[in-house]
Amino acid sequence: MKEINSMRLEFLSRSANEGFARTAVAVFCSQLDPTLDELGDIKTAVSEAVTNCVVHAYPDTLGKIMVRARIFEDNAVEITVRDWGVGISDVSRAREAMFTTGGDDRSGMGFTIMESFMDVLRVRSVPGRGTTVTMRRKISRRAAK
Amino acid sequence: MRIETAYQNGELRVMLHGELDHHAAGDTVREIERAVDAYMPMLCVVDLGGVTFMDSSGLAVLMKTRRRVTQIGGKVRVTGASERIERILNSAGIGKFIEITRREEVHIERN
């Protein structure tokens, strides 16, 4: 599938950037003319992925987070959220609903929400090297709305 | 995140306005717990009507609120959730622990 447009953001793992990242991605995606619901789903999923980096990838330090968004010919958007933090030793366990290593500050629902709000969710992680989350969501064409 | 509280006849109403994400969660929990400790309510109503964005961090805020209120023998009710927020609440099955009611049209006097 042909890529039509793309953008890349890089920022520090400060919690203030959670809002920045989801808003920036939403503004980029708005060129696909999404509904408010579609945009809300994307914002929520991006917020979950970036929050994971802030909370889990860099627990006691500030690190770099990269967010990339690509728009494809079939009106789909692919969002990649990448960190170079501690990594996840058991990805399938981390993806389970209610599982968290974050204590009662976290709900353990982040990956579940990303999964239910996006069409595709891929998580790749190497302990000590970092994690890459890739999400894809097709935006319905105006005529179908 | 802006938080307003109102207390009347054993009922503490906590009205949240703005974006409830991880960045806002810590301060939000602290403020709710402070109000719960001050009023010791029988019922704590968390009104999400003014929340324009919420992710899973909001779930942890609600569960922490529930724990604090349950410790003093009270109950928590969540109201005013938009359809999107309701989906997030349902994904975690939070209705098993906290009563969730639809948007209500009730006039509340604010302190």
Side-chain angles (χ1 to χ4, degrees):
Chain A
M1 195 55 65
K2 207 173 134 197
E3 182 185 301
I4 293 177
N5 199 359
S6 75
M7 70 92 164
R8 185 190 290 255
L9 301 170
E10 197 184 291
F11 48 88
L12 281 181
S13 59
R14 289 198 185 278
S15 63
N17 287 330
E18 294 155 4
F20 161 68
R22 66 176 176 260
T23 304
V25 171
V27 172
F28 179 74
C29 290
S30 64
Q31 62 193 283
L32 286 172
D33 203 12
T35 62
L36 278 179
D37 265 352
E38 288 166 333
L39 219 47
D41 288 354
I42 290 169
K43 274 175 89 167
T44 309
V46 170
S47 193
E48 298 293 351
V50 171
T51 300
N52 274 350
C53 302
V54 172
V55 175
H56 298 287
Y58 304 108
D60 308 305
T61 167
L62 279 177
K64 194 171 70 175
I65 300 172
M66 191 269 285
V67 173
R68 183 167 71 144
R70 302 160 77 194
I71 289 170
F72 292 92
E73 227 173 17
D74 63 346
N75 236 39
V77 59
E78 188 182 274
I79 298 154
T80 304
V81 178
R82 178 154 193 214
D83 68 69
W84 291 263
V86 298
I88 304 168
S89 55
D90 187 345
V91 169
S92 51
R93 184 113 195 269
R95 288 179 67 154
E96 279 171 20
M98 317 295 261
F99 176 82
T100 184
T101 55
D104 63 1
D105 281 334
R106 309 298 315 152
S107 67
M109 292 305 293
F111 280 127
T112 306
I113 287 170
M114 286 179 237
E115 223 159 50
S116 72
F117 283 21
M118 302 295 271
D119 299 329
V120 179
L121 171 70
R122 277 200 314 271
V123 185
R124 293 166 109 190
S125 191
V126 180
R129 299 285 293 277
T131 302
T132 305
V133 170
T134 307
M135 305 178 277
R136 201 180 164 88
R137 173 71 190 258
K138 198 147 178 175
I139 302 302
S140 57
R141 306 259 184 204
R142 254 314 167 197
K145 283 172 187 170
Chain B
M1 173 62 51
R2 190 163 57 80
I3 302 161
E4 275 178 278
T5 56
Y7 179 79
Q8 205 174 24
N9 303 326
E11 183 181 318
L12 172 65
R13 181 166 275 257
V14 179
M15 288 152 284
L16 304 181
H17 304 271
E19 305 205 316
L20 181 50
D21 62 1
H22 163 251
H23 181 62
D27 284 348
T28 304
V29 166
R30 273 188 289 280
E31 197 130 331
I32 293 174
E33 287 182 345
R34 196 178 310 144
V36 169
D37 292 351
Y39 294 111
M40 306 279 275
M42 292 300 294
L43 175 67
C44 175
V45 179
V46 181
D47 188 342
L48 301 177
V51 174
T52 51
F53 175 86
M54 186 183 111
D55 61 17
S56 71
S57 304
L59 297 173
V61 169
L62 295 175
M63 289 307 287
K64 281 191 152 182
T65 300
R66 175 193 178 258
R67 198 177 59 187
R68 192 68 152 220
V69 174
T70 306
Q71 277 170 357
I72 56 161
K75 278 190 169 162
V76 176
R77 181 188 297 155
V78 172
T79 184
S82 65
E83 249 175 77
R84 162 169 317 283
I85 292 175
E86 219 167 80
R87 260 175 82 192
I88 292 170
L89 297 174
N90 290 336
S91 72
I94 221 166
K96 278 182 286 191
F97 309 103
I98 297 173
E99 184 191 342
I100 300 168
T101 58
R102 303 299 302 236
R103 273 178 201 277
E104 35 180 336
E105 304 292 328
V106 188
H107 175 70
I108 302 291
E109 276 179 65
R110 289 177 181 175
N111 289 335

